[in-house]
Amino acid sequence: LLDWSCEDWLARYDDLPNRQIKVAVKDRFIFETADAERRCVQPEGLQAEIDKLVAGVPLGRAFVRPSGTEDVVRVYVEAATVDETLKLGQAVVDLVFTRAAGVGSKPVVS
C-alpha cells in the first residue's frame, strides 16, 4: 500500500453526504467532549441517545461539540445518502435542542 500514488489513495475515498448545523443553546458549557471531540461525555446520557440514532443509519456518524466562542452546539452528521443524512441530522438537532435548553427557533436540517 505504501507504493500508492496520491491519485490511488484518492480513488479509494468516497466523501459521504454530510451537514454541520449550529444549535443555539442557553449554556454551551454544559457540554464536554472526549476522544478528539468525537464523544460527548456531558450532558450525561446524551451520547448514548446519539449512538442509538446513528445505529439505525447505514454509514451514519454524528458528533456534537460546544462552540468555543458562541452559545451554540455544533452538530456534524454524515450518512450513506443525502436523505439519511438529513433525517439523522434533524434527529440529533432535535435531541440537542431538547436536552440543552435550545433557544430561539429550532434549526431545520436541509
Side-chain angles (χ1 to χ4, degrees), residues 21-72:
I21 310 102
K22 292 192 324 185
V23 180
V25 296
K26 183 177 179 183
D27 180 9
R28 74 180 186 269
F29 295 108
I30 67 169
F31 285 82
E32 280 183 45
T33 60
D35 190 22
E37 297 189 329
R38 290 182 295 234
R39 304 287 300 167
C40 183
V41 295
Q42 290 293 330
E44 189 173 334
L46 180 61
Q47 186 63 53
E49 293 180 62
I50 292 170
D51 290 345
K52 285 180 188 175
L53 295 171
V54 169
V57 178
L59 300 177
R61 289 195 322 160
F63 308 98
V64 299
R65 69 170 188 82
S67 169
T69 57
E70 52 189 324
D71 275 333
V72 299

